[in-house]
PDB file of all heavy atoms in Angstrom:
ATOM      1  N   PRO A 464      23.617   0.969 -14.647  1.00 88.00           N
ATOM      2  CA  PRO A 464      24.318   2.165 -14.179  1.00 88.00           C
ATOM      3  C   PRO A 464      25.079   1.952 -12.880  1.00 88.00           C
ATOM      4  O   PRO A 464      24.825   1.002 -12.131  1.00 88.00           O
ATOM      5  CB  PRO A 464      23.172   3.156 -13.961  1.00 88.00           C
ATOM      6  CG  PRO A 464      22.005   2.281 -13.620  1.00 88.00           C
ATOM      7  CD  PRO A 464      22.171   1.048 -14.453  1.00 88.00           C
ATOM      8  N   GLY A 465      25.996   2.878 -12.610  1.00 88.00           N
ATOM      9  CA  GLY A 465      26.671   2.919 -11.323  1.00 88.00           C
ATOM     10  C   GLY A 465      25.736   3.438 -10.250  1.00 88.00           C
ATOM     11  O   GLY A 465      24.584   3.816 -10.529  1.00 88.00           O
ATOM     12  N   THR A 466      26.231   3.514  -9.030  1.00 88.00           N
ATOM     13  CA  THR A 466      25.375   3.830  -7.885  1.00 88.00           C
ATOM     14  C   THR A 466      24.700   5.189  -8.026  1.00 88.00           C
ATOM     15  O   THR A 466      23.490   5.324  -7.766  1.00 88.00           O
ATOM     16  CB  THR A 466      26.203   3.790  -6.589  1.00 88.00           C
ATOM     17  OG1 THR A 466      26.783   2.489  -6.444  1.00 88.00           O
ATOM     18  CG2 THR A 466      25.324   4.070  -5.379  1.00 88.00           C
ATOM     19  N   ALA A 467      25.422   6.216  -8.461  1.00 90.00           N
ATOM     20  CA  ALA A 467      24.848   7.562  -8.532  1.00 90.00           C
ATOM     21  C   ALA A 467      23.711   7.633  -9.555  1.00 90.00           C
ATOM     22  O   ALA A 467      22.631   8.176  -9.266  1.00 90.00           O
ATOM     23  CB  ALA A 467      25.936   8.575  -8.874  1.00 90.00           C
ATOM     24  N   VAL A 468      23.936   7.103 -10.749  1.00 93.00           N
ATOM     25  CA  VAL A 468      22.891   7.130 -11.779  1.00 93.00           C
ATOM     26  C   VAL A 468      21.740   6.216 -11.387  1.00 93.00           C
ATOM     27  O   VAL A 468      20.563   6.539 -11.615  1.00 93.00           O
ATOM     28  CB  VAL A 468      23.471   6.729 -13.144  1.00 93.00           C
ATOM     29  CG1 VAL A 468      22.374   6.657 -14.203  1.00 93.00           C
ATOM     30  CG2 VAL A 468      24.552   7.719 -13.568  1.00 93.00           C
ATOM     31  N   LEU A 469      22.051   5.090 -10.784  1.00 93.00           N
ATOM     32  CA  LEU A 469      21.001   4.183 -10.333  1.00 93.00           C
ATOM     33  C   LEU A 469      20.101   4.880  -9.314  1.00 93.00           C
ATOM     34  O   LEU A 469      18.876   4.737  -9.352  1.00 93.00           O
ATOM     35  CB  LEU A 469      21.612   2.924  -9.722  1.00 93.00           C
ATOM     36  CG  LEU A 469      20.656   1.863  -9.177  1.00 93.00           C
ATOM     37  CD1 LEU A 469      19.661   1.416 -10.238  1.00 93.00           C
ATOM     38  CD2 LEU A 469      21.442   0.666  -8.635  1.00 93.00           C
ATOM     39  N   ALA A 470      20.696   5.663  -8.421  1.00 92.00           N
ATOM     40  CA  ALA A 470      19.901   6.410  -7.442  1.00 92.00           C
ATOM     41  C   ALA A 470      18.952   7.381  -8.133  1.00 92.00           C
ATOM     42  O   ALA A 470      17.781   7.509  -7.760  1.00 92.00           O
ATOM     43  CB  ALA A 470      20.817   7.150  -6.475  1.00 92.00           C
ATOM     44  N   LEU A 471      19.431   8.071  -9.163  1.00 93.00           N
ATOM     45  CA  LEU A 471      18.583   9.007  -9.899  1.00 93.00           C
ATOM     46  C   LEU A 471      17.433   8.288 -10.603  1.00 93.00           C
ATOM     47  O   LEU A 471      16.298   8.769 -10.616  1.00 93.00           O
ATOM     48  CB  LEU A 471      19.418   9.785 -10.920  1.00 93.00           C
ATOM     49  CG  LEU A 471      20.438  10.776 -10.349  1.00 93.00           C
ATOM     50  CD1 LEU A 471      21.304  11.351 -11.462  1.00 93.00           C
ATOM     51  CD2 LEU A 471      19.728  11.899  -9.592  1.00 93.00           C
ATOM     52  N   LEU A 472      17.728   7.139 -11.177  1.00 94.00           N
ATOM     53  CA  LEU A 472      16.680   6.384 -11.859  1.00 94.00           C
ATOM     54  C   LEU A 472      15.653   5.844 -10.872  1.00 94.00           C
ATOM     55  O   LEU A 472      14.449   5.819 -11.165  1.00 94.00           O
ATOM     56  CB  LEU A 472      17.305   5.257 -12.680  1.00 94.00           C
ATOM     57  CG  LEU A 472      18.160   5.716 -13.866  1.00 94.00           C
ATOM     58  CD1 LEU A 472      18.855   4.526 -14.522  1.00 94.00           C
ATOM     59  CD2 LEU A 472      17.306   6.470 -14.889  1.00 94.00           C
ATOM     60  N   LEU A 473      16.110   5.421  -9.712  1.00 93.00           N
ATOM     61  CA  LEU A 473      15.168   4.972  -8.686  1.00 93.00           C
ATOM     62  C   LEU A 473      14.283   6.127  -8.215  1.00 93.00           C
ATOM     63  O   LEU A 473      13.110   5.923  -7.872  1.00 93.00           O
ATOM     64  CB  LEU A 473      15.922   4.365  -7.496  1.00 93.00           C
ATOM     65  CG  LEU A 473      16.512   2.976  -7.729  1.00 93.00           C
ATOM     66  CD1 LEU A 473      17.412   2.582  -6.557  1.00 93.00           C
ATOM     67  CD2 LEU A 473      15.409   1.934  -7.913  1.00 93.00           C
ATOM     68  N   MET A 474      14.833   7.329  -8.202  1.00 93.00           N
ATOM     69  CA  MET A 474      14.026   8.499  -7.862  1.00 93.00           C
ATOM     70  C   MET A 474      12.914   8.711  -8.892  1.00 93.00           C
ATOM     71  O   MET A 474      11.773   9.037  -8.542  1.00 93.00           O
ATOM     72  CB  MET A 474      14.914   9.736  -7.759  1.00 93.00           C
ATOM     73  CG  MET A 474      15.852   9.714  -6.562  1.00 93.00           C
ATOM     74  SD  MET A 474      17.082  11.049  -6.568  1.00 93.00           S
ATOM     75  CE  MET A 474      16.038  12.449  -6.185  1.00 93.00           C
ATOM     76  N   ALA A 475      13.242   8.505 -10.174  1.00 94.00           N
ATOM     77  CA  ALA A 475      12.228   8.640 -11.223  1.00 94.00           C
ATOM     78  C   ALA A 475      11.146   7.569 -11.067  1.00 94.00           C
ATOM     79  O   ALA A 475       9.942   7.852 -11.197  1.00 94.00           O
ATOM     80  CB  ALA A 475      12.877   8.543 -12.597  1.00 94.00           C
ATOM     81  N   VAL A 476      11.562   6.337 -10.781  1.00 94.00           N
ATOM     82  CA  VAL A 476      10.596   5.255 -10.565  1.00 94.00           C
ATOM     83  C   VAL A 476       9.687   5.585  -9.383  1.00 94.00           C
ATOM     84  O   VAL A 476       8.458   5.436  -9.444  1.00 94.00           O
ATOM     85  CB  VAL A 476      11.328   3.923 -10.335  1.00 94.00           C
ATOM     86  CG1 VAL A 476      10.338   2.827  -9.944  1.00 94.00           C
ATOM     87  CG2 VAL A 476      12.106   3.514 -11.573  1.00 94.00           C
ATOM     88  N   THR A 477      10.302   6.063  -8.311  1.00 90.00           N
ATOM     89  CA  THR A 477       9.537   6.396  -7.106  1.00 90.00           C
ATOM     90  C   THR A 477       8.543   7.519  -7.376  1.00 90.00           C
ATOM     91  O   THR A 477       7.400   7.477  -6.910  1.00 90.00           O
ATOM     92  CB  THR A 477      10.497   6.794  -5.977  1.00 90.00           C
ATOM     93  OG1 THR A 477      11.399   5.715  -5.717  1.00 90.00           O
ATOM     94  CG2 THR A 477       9.740   7.125  -4.704  1.00 90.00           C
ATOM     95  N   ALA A 478       8.973   8.535  -8.114  1.00 91.00           N
ATOM     96  CA  ALA A 478       8.063   9.636  -8.450  1.00 91.00           C
ATOM     97  C   ALA A 478       6.872   9.119  -9.241  1.00 91.00           C
ATOM     98  O   ALA A 478       5.714   9.505  -8.981  1.00 91.00           O
ATOM     99  CB  ALA A 478       8.810  10.703  -9.247  1.00 91.00           C
ATOM    100  N   GLY A 479       7.126   8.245 -10.207  1.00 93.00           N
ATOM    101  CA  GLY A 479       6.037   7.692 -10.995  1.00 93.00           C
ATOM    102  C   GLY A 479       5.045   6.913 -10.155  1.00 93.00           C
ATOM    103  O   GLY A 479       3.825   7.100 -10.267  1.00 93.00           O
ATOM    104  N   ILE A 480       5.548   6.059  -9.287  1.00 90.00           N
ATOM    105  CA  ILE A 480       4.665   5.267  -8.425  1.00 90.00           C
ATOM    106  C   ILE A 480       3.949   6.170  -7.426  1.00 90.00           C
ATOM    107  O   ILE A 480       2.759   5.984  -7.135  1.00 90.00           O
ATOM    108  CB  ILE A 480       5.475   4.176  -7.692  1.00 90.00           C
ATOM    109  CG1 ILE A 480       6.116   3.212  -8.692  1.00 90.00           C
ATOM    110  CG2 ILE A 480       4.577   3.411  -6.720  1.00 90.00           C
ATOM    111  CD1 ILE A 480       5.149   2.491  -9.589  1.00 90.00           C
ATOM    112  N   GLY A 481       4.665   7.162  -6.900  1.00 86.00           N
ATOM    113  CA  GLY A 481       4.073   8.070  -5.919  1.00 86.00           C
ATOM    114  C   GLY A 481       2.905   8.868  -6.473  1.00 86.00           C
ATOM    115  O   GLY A 481       1.952   9.189  -5.745  1.00 86.00           O
ATOM    116  N   VAL A 482       2.940   9.210  -7.741  1.00 89.00           N
ATOM    117  CA  VAL A 482       1.833   9.926  -8.372  1.00 89.00           C
ATOM    118  C   VAL A 482       0.741   8.951  -8.824  1.00 89.00           C
ATOM    119  O   VAL A 482      -0.450   9.268  -8.775  1.00 89.00           O
ATOM    120  CB  VAL A 482       2.343  10.760  -9.568  1.00 89.00           C
ATOM    121  CG1 VAL A 482       1.185  11.381 -10.337  1.00 89.00           C
ATOM    122  CG2 VAL A 482       3.297  11.845  -9.077  1.00 89.00           C
ATOM    123  N   THR A 483       1.134   7.759  -9.230  1.00 91.00           N
ATOM    124  CA  THR A 483       0.160   6.781  -9.729  1.00 91.00           C
ATOM    125  C   THR A 483      -0.821   6.337  -8.654  1.00 91.00           C
ATOM    126  O   THR A 483      -2.038   6.270  -8.899  1.00 91.00           O
ATOM    127  CB  THR A 483       0.880   5.540 -10.284  1.00 91.00           C
ATOM    128  OG1 THR A 483       1.666   5.914 -11.419  1.00 91.00           O
ATOM    129  CG2 THR A 483      -0.115   4.469 -10.708  1.00 91.00           C
ATOM    130  N   ALA A 484      -0.322   6.008  -7.468  1.00 84.00           N
ATOM    131  CA  ALA A 484      -1.182   5.407  -6.444  1.00 84.00           C
ATOM    132  C   ALA A 484      -2.361   6.298  -6.070  1.00 84.00           C
ATOM    133  O   ALA A 484      -3.527   5.855  -6.138  1.00 84.00           O
ATOM    134  CB  ALA A 484      -0.356   5.027  -5.223  1.00 84.00           C
ATOM    135  N   PRO A 485      -2.161   7.571  -5.679  1.00 82.00           N
ATOM    136  CA  PRO A 485      -3.339   8.398  -5.385  1.00 82.00           C
ATOM    137  C   PRO A 485      -4.184   8.678  -6.617  1.00 82.00           C
ATOM    138  O   PRO A 485      -5.404   8.860  -6.512  1.00 82.00           O
ATOM    139  CB  PRO A 485      -2.735   9.689  -4.812  1.00 82.00           C
ATOM    140  CG  PRO A 485      -1.332   9.720  -5.289  1.00 82.00           C
ATOM    141  CD  PRO A 485      -0.906   8.293  -5.393  1.00 82.00           C
ATOM    142  N   GLY A 486      -3.549   8.698  -7.800  1.00 86.00           N
ATOM    143  CA  GLY A 486      -4.313   8.879  -9.026  1.00 86.00           C
ATOM    144  C   GLY A 486      -5.282   7.739  -9.257  1.00 86.00           C
ATOM    145  O   GLY A 486      -6.443   7.947  -9.665  1.00 86.00           O
ATOM    146  N   MET A 487      -4.831   6.516  -8.996  1.00 89.00           N
ATOM    147  CA  MET A 487      -5.707   5.358  -9.151  1.00 89.00           C
ATOM    148  C   MET A 487      -6.846   5.384  -8.129  1.00 89.00           C
ATOM    149  O   MET A 487      -8.002   5.057  -8.455  1.00 89.00           O
ATOM    150  CB  MET A 487      -4.891   4.069  -8.989  1.00 89.00           C
ATOM    151  CG  MET A 487      -3.856   3.858 -10.070  1.00 89.00           C
ATOM    152  SD  MET A 487      -4.581   3.327 -11.646  1.00 89.00           S
ATOM    153  CE  MET A 487      -4.631   1.568 -11.393  1.00 89.00           C
ATOM    154  N   ILE A 488      -6.527   5.789  -6.896  1.00 82.00           N
ATOM    155  CA  ILE A 488      -7.573   5.898  -5.877  1.00 82.00           C
ATOM    156  C   ILE A 488      -8.617   6.917  -6.313  1.00 82.00           C
ATOM    157  O   ILE A 488      -9.830   6.707  -6.188  1.00 82.00           O
ATOM    158  CB  ILE A 488      -6.963   6.288  -4.520  1.00 82.00           C
ATOM    159  CG1 ILE A 488      -6.076   5.161  -3.983  1.00 82.00           C
ATOM    160  CG2 ILE A 488      -8.066   6.608  -3.511  1.00 82.00           C
ATOM    161  CD1 ILE A 488      -5.270   5.555  -2.771  1.00 82.00           C
ATOM    162  N   ASP A 489      -8.141   8.048  -6.838  1.00 82.00           N
ATOM    163  CA  ASP A 489      -9.036   9.103  -7.297  1.00 82.00           C
ATOM    164  C   ASP A 489      -9.952   8.590  -8.416  1.00 82.00           C
ATOM    165  O   ASP A 489     -11.168   8.796  -8.390  1.00 82.00           O
ATOM    166  CB  ASP A 489      -8.194  10.283  -7.790  1.00 82.00           C
ATOM    167  CG  ASP A 489      -9.008  11.549  -8.017  1.00 82.00           C
ATOM    168  OD1 ASP A 489     -10.116  11.650  -7.453  1.00 82.00           O
ATOM    169  OD2 ASP A 489      -8.543  12.428  -8.754  1.00 82.00           O
ATOM    170  N   LEU A 490      -9.374   7.909  -9.394  1.00 87.00           N
ATOM    171  CA  LEU A 490     -10.160   7.398 -10.516  1.00 87.00           C
ATOM    172  C   LEU A 490     -11.176   6.359 -10.067  1.00 87.00           C
ATOM    173  O   LEU A 490     -12.363   6.412 -10.433  1.00 87.00           O
ATOM    174  CB  LEU A 490      -9.236   6.789 -11.570  1.00 87.00           C
ATOM    175  CG  LEU A 490      -8.441   7.761 -12.445  1.00 87.00           C
ATOM    176  CD1 LEU A 490      -7.428   6.998 -13.280  1.00 87.00           C
ATOM    177  CD2 LEU A 490      -9.380   8.557 -13.331  1.00 87.00           C
ATOM    178  N   ILE A 491     -10.713   5.395  -9.278  1.00 86.00           N
ATOM    179  CA  ILE A 491     -11.600   4.302  -8.872  1.00 86.00           C
ATOM    180  C   ILE A 491     -12.662   4.798  -7.908  1.00 86.00           C
ATOM    181  O   ILE A 491     -13.864   4.507  -8.067  1.00 86.00           O
ATOM    182  CB  ILE A 491     -10.774   3.159  -8.246  1.00 86.00           C
ATOM    183  CG1 ILE A 491      -9.946   2.460  -9.340  1.00 86.00           C
ATOM    184  CG2 ILE A 491     -11.682   2.148  -7.536  1.00 86.00           C
ATOM    185  CD1 ILE A 491      -8.937   1.471  -8.821  1.00 86.00           C
ATOM    186  N   GLY A 492     -12.253   5.571  -6.905  1.00 79.00           N
ATOM    187  CA  GLY A 492     -13.209   6.040  -5.912  1.00 79.00           C
ATOM    188  C   GLY A 492     -14.273   6.953  -6.497  1.00 79.00           C
ATOM    189  O   GLY A 492     -15.455   6.869  -6.136  1.00 79.00           O
ATOM    190  N   SER A 493     -13.892   7.806  -7.443  1.00 77.00           N
ATOM    191  CA  SER A 493     -14.845   8.755  -8.017  1.00 77.00           C
ATOM    192  C   SER A 493     -15.869   8.081  -8.912  1.00 77.00           C
ATOM    193  O   SER A 493     -16.946   8.624  -9.147  1.00 77.00           O
ATOM    194  CB  SER A 493     -14.094   9.837  -8.798  1.00 77.00           C
ATOM    195  OG  SER A 493     -13.454   9.283  -9.936  1.00 77.00           O
ATOM    196  N   ARG A 494     -15.542   6.884  -9.427  1.00 79.00           N
ATOM    197  CA  ARG A 494     -16.459   6.186 -10.335  1.00 79.00           C
ATOM    198  C   ARG A 494     -17.253   5.087  -9.649  1.00 79.00           C
ATOM    199  O   ARG A 494     -18.104   4.460 -10.267  1.00 79.00           O
ATOM    200  CB  ARG A 494     -15.667   5.567 -11.484  1.00 79.00           C
ATOM    201  CG  ARG A 494     -14.826   6.566 -12.263  1.00 79.00           C
ATOM    202  CD  ARG A 494     -15.658   7.582 -12.987  1.00 79.00           C
ATOM    203  NE  ARG A 494     -14.860   8.673 -13.514  1.00 79.00           N
ATOM    204  CZ  ARG A 494     -15.291   9.537 -14.418  1.00 79.00           C
ATOM    205  NH1 ARG A 494     -16.509   9.445 -14.883  1.00 79.00           N
ATOM    206  NH2 ARG A 494     -14.518  10.519 -14.827  1.00 79.00           N
ATOM    207  N   ALA A 495     -16.982   4.842  -8.363  1.00 77.00           N
ATOM    208  CA  ALA A 495     -17.646   3.739  -7.680  1.00 77.00           C
ATOM    209  C   ALA A 495     -18.986   4.126  -7.075  1.00 77.00           C
ATOM    210  O   ALA A 495     -19.752   3.261  -6.668  1.00 77.00           O
ATOM    211  CB  ALA A 495     -16.734   3.172  -6.594  1.00 77.00           C
ATOM    212  N   GLY A 496     -19.259   5.435  -6.972  1.00 72.00           N
ATOM    213  CA  GLY A 496     -20.540   5.878  -6.438  1.00 72.00           C
ATOM    214  C   GLY A 496     -20.772   5.391  -5.022  1.00 72.00           C
ATOM    215  O   GLY A 496     -19.926   5.533  -4.144  1.00 72.00           O
ATOM    216  N   ALA A 497     -21.946   4.796  -4.800  1.00 73.00           N
ATOM    217  CA  ALA A 497     -22.302   4.308  -3.465  1.00 73.00           C
ATOM    218  C   ALA A 497     -21.441   3.138  -3.031  1.00 73.00           C
ATOM    219  O   ALA A 497     -21.479   2.736  -1.864  1.00 73.00           O
ATOM    220  CB  ALA A 497     -23.772   3.896  -3.440  1.00 73.00           C
ATOM    221  N   HIS A 498     -20.649   2.592  -3.949  1.00 76.00           N
ATOM    222  CA  HIS A 498     -19.815   1.429  -3.638  1.00 76.00           C
ATOM    223  C   HIS A 498     -18.366   1.819  -3.371  1.00 76.00           C
ATOM    224  O   HIS A 498     -17.455   1.018  -3.540  1.00 76.00           O
ATOM    225  CB  HIS A 498     -19.858   0.434  -4.799  1.00 76.00           C
ATOM    226  CG  HIS A 498     -21.237  -0.040  -5.116  1.00 76.00           C
ATOM    227  ND1 HIS A 498     -21.918  -0.941  -4.338  1.00 76.00           N
ATOM    228  CD2 HIS A 498     -22.083   0.296  -6.128  1.00 76.00           C
ATOM    229  CE1 HIS A 498     -23.116  -1.161  -4.864  1.00 76.00           C
ATOM    230  NE2 HIS A 498     -23.234  -0.415  -5.943  1.00 76.00           N
ATOM    231  N   ARG A 499     -18.134   3.059  -2.947  1.00 74.00           N
ATOM    232  CA  ARG A 499     -16.766   3.532  -2.748  1.00 74.00           C
ATOM    233  C   ARG A 499     -15.979   2.639  -1.784  1.00 74.00           C
ATOM    234  O   ARG A 499     -14.837   2.293  -2.051  1.00 74.00           O
ATOM    235  CB  ARG A 499     -16.762   4.972  -2.233  1.00 74.00           C
ATOM    236  CG  ARG A 499     -15.347   5.518  -2.030  1.00 74.00           C
ATOM    237  CD  ARG A 499     -15.340   6.928  -1.465  1.00 74.00           C
ATOM    238  NE  ARG A 499     -13.974   7.349  -1.235  1.00 74.00           N
ATOM    239  CZ  ARG A 499     -13.200   7.933  -2.132  1.00 74.00           C
ATOM    240  NH1 ARG A 499     -13.668   8.178  -3.342  1.00 74.00           N
ATOM    241  NH2 ARG A 499     -11.959   8.270  -1.843  1.00 74.00           N
ATOM    242  N   ALA A 500     -16.580   2.265  -0.650  1.00 72.00           N
ATOM    243  CA  ALA A 500     -15.844   1.479   0.345  1.00 72.00           C
ATOM    244  C   ALA A 500     -15.382   0.129  -0.211  1.00 72.00           C
ATOM    245  O   ALA A 500     -14.194  -0.203  -0.114  1.00 72.00           O
ATOM    246  CB  ALA A 500     -16.680   1.294   1.611  1.00 72.00           C
ATOM    247  N   PRO A 501     -16.272  -0.695  -0.815  1.00 80.00           N
ATOM    248  CA  PRO A 501     -15.773  -1.951  -1.379  1.00 80.00           C
ATOM    249  C   PRO A 501     -14.825  -1.731  -2.550  1.00 80.00           C
ATOM    250  O   PRO A 501     -13.906  -2.526  -2.770  1.00 80.00           O
ATOM    251  CB  PRO A 501     -17.040  -2.698  -1.802  1.00 80.00           C
ATOM    252  CG  PRO A 501     -18.106  -1.667  -1.898  1.00 80.00           C
ATOM    253  CD  PRO A 501     -17.750  -0.638  -0.873  1.00 80.00           C
TER     254      PRO A 501
END
Side-chain angles (χ1 to χ4, degrees):
T466 302
V468 176
L469 179 55
L471 292 173
L472 293 174
L473 286 171
M474 291 171 72
V476 173
T477 301
I480 298 301
V482 173
T483 296
M487 295 285 273
I488 293 171
D489 192 20
L490 285 171
I491 290 171
S493 66
R494 304 295 169 165
H498 302 285
R499 181 182 177 88

